Amino acid sequence: MEKIKIVIAGPRGRMGSEAVKLVEETEHFELAGAVDYKHDGKRLNELAGFTSEAKVYGELKDCLFETNPDVLIDLTTPEIGRKHTITALEYGVRPVVGTTGFSAEDLEMIEEMAKRQQIGAIIAPNFAIGAILMMKFSQMAAKYLSDVEIIEQHHDQKLDAPSGTGIKTAEMIHAVRGEKRQGHPDEKETMEGARGASYHGIRIHSVRLPGLIAHQEVLFGGDGQTLKIRHDSYNRASFMSGVKLSVEAVMNLNDLVYGLENIIE
Ligand code: NAP
């Protein structure tokens, strides 16, 4: 099997460093380069914690131009991730994006671009297989129990709220249950934000605390009963089987797939 040539943006990050490990440990993956704006021109093994000799580039464009990879794995920040995704598509490189915080407009624009260029792209707000199942099971449950609230919990260094997974879960539930006003019609917030964000009437509550990684509970209520569907990621390794799957899958796509649930059955 020919190796898939991969570039990783954000290699020093919590997710990026796990992705470097994954690529190095996977026989049919090859780390062609890394993108890190603080270490242009170095080798990865000059940075603490790495053994790879892959070259580090300060700018994605330079990296893509020199290494000509198949896939970009982006695990950076919302603003940079968006720029990187567009650049990768412009260069004919398939982006696999774990970075969260993309707006609906961003996704629409990226989708159009991928379609126009006939290049595969995957944007996955959550790479953990268990989290994908949590979202799918929640979508199933929403057909029968249409009153639902989402509580997502993350570490306190997370930049975006609600989480990409929280939004994606709400979108999947909305697709089967539609618009609904939950709670008392005269309900009033006496303190702003008390009832969380609202996505077509589905409430999303974001908890940020040190010690947490990525957790989500979807609560359904019906007459005399509740149902809780919960997923916990206890470390970043929990995301890597999904990253591997995405890199393999993106090689056979020619448009954008948003969400891993669309490539696992
Ligand atoms: P992190 O530890 O803060 O890592 C982000 C890394 O990106 C940092 O090392 C940062 O460097 C670097 N960076 C910033 N600008 C850059 C640029 N221009 N070029 C290259 N690198 C750049 O965050 P994380 O926890 O790994 O998360 C990364 C992203 O993945 C976030 O958006 C997060 O929400 C998302 N995430 C997704 C999943 C999933 O399953 N899809 C799971 C967990 C997290 P400095 O810190 O030096 O600026």
Side-chain angles (χ1 to χ4, degrees):
M1 187 196 269
E2 212 172 303
K3 288 195 178 201
I4 302 175
K5 275 177 82 178
I6 299 165
V7 155
I8 297 177
R12 275 180 299 111
R14 288 161 293 213
M15 286 289 282
S17 54
E18 285 294 332
V20 169
K21 242 187 269 168
L22 166 80
V23 171
E24 287 195 295
E25 287 166 4
T26 307
E27 214 173 308
H28 58 288
F29 288 179
E30 179 191 330
L31 189 60
V35 181
D36 186 335
Y37 70 120
K38 286 187 182 161
H39 295 286
D40 187 31
K42 289 188 184 158
R43 297 274 163 189
L44 208 47
N45 59 10
E46 290 176 59
L47 313 186
F50 295 105
T51 54
S52 166
E53 289 187 358
K55 202 172 157 194
V56 181
Y57 299 80
E59 279 290 331
L60 177 65
K61 281 184 182 171
D62 300 335
C63 178
L64 300 184
F65 184 72
E66 268 193 38
T67 62
N68 194 24
D70 300 302
V71 173
L72 161 74
I73 299 177
D74 189 276
L75 295 159
T76 58
T77 61
E79 195 191 326
I80 300 298
R82 182 180 165 278
K83 277 192 202 154
H84 281 175
T85 306
I86 293 167
T87 304
L89 288 171
E90 281 169 355
Y91 275 73
V93 174
R94 299 170 159 84
V96 167
V97 182
T99 307
T100 55
F102 285 48
S103 68
E105 293 77 36
D106 292 339
L107 292 171
E108 211 172 291
M109 186 256 295
I110 292 164
E111 184 174 24
E112 260 172 39
M113 206 173 159
K115 206 177 277 174
R116 200 171 50 240
Q117 315 250 103
Q118 292 275 294
I119 298 169
I122 294 177
I123 299 179
N126 203 318
F127 283 122
I129 303 296
I132 304 306
L133 294 173
M134 176 259 298
M135 289 190 257
K136 284 198 167 218
F137 295 156
S138 299
Q139 191 179 39
M140 279 170 71
K143 282 187 195 164
Y144 304 97
L145 295 167
S146 60
D147 285 86
V148 52
E149 304 224 355
I150 298 168
I151 304 173
E152 56 95 343
Q153 306 183 359
H154 282 83
H155 59 90
D156 64 346
Q157 297 306 301
K158 187 166 176 58
L159 293 176
D160 50 318
S163 70
T165 307
I167 297 170
K168 183 77 184 152
T169 310
E171 286 170 358
M172 287 171 68
I173 290 173
H174 174 63
V176 298
R177 84 153 206 181
E179 194 83 34
K180 180 170 180 178
R181 171 98 169 71
Q182 288 183 196
H184 198 286
D186 298 331
E187 180 183 82
K188 249 192 220 102
E189 279 185 343
T190 53
M191 212 178 272
E192 196 188 322
R195 292 289 289 118
S198 172
Y199 181 84
H200 296 279
I202 301 162
R203 295 288 172 177
I204 311 178
H205 310 268
S206 299
V207 177
R208 297 290 177 264
L209 283 173
L212 294 169
I213 304 277
H215 318 260
Q216 183 168 292
E217 193 161 286
V218 187
L219 273 102
F220 295 89
D223 285 338
Q225 58 180 325
T226 60
L227 170 67
K228 294 176 190 168
I229 301 175
R230 184 180 173 99
H231 176 262
D232 298 273
S233 273
Y234 296 111
N235 59 37
R236 268 96 188 169
S238 65
F239 302 113
M240 292 304 130
S241 54
V243 175
K244 180 168 180 277
L245 193 75
S246 300
V247 169
E248 290 162 352
V250 82
M251 295 301 292
N252 300 314
L253 295 173
N254 51 16
D255 57 0
L256 171 72
V257 168
Y258 172 55
L260 215 57
E261 67 282 1
N262 296 307
I263 54 172
I264 64 165
E265 263 325 308

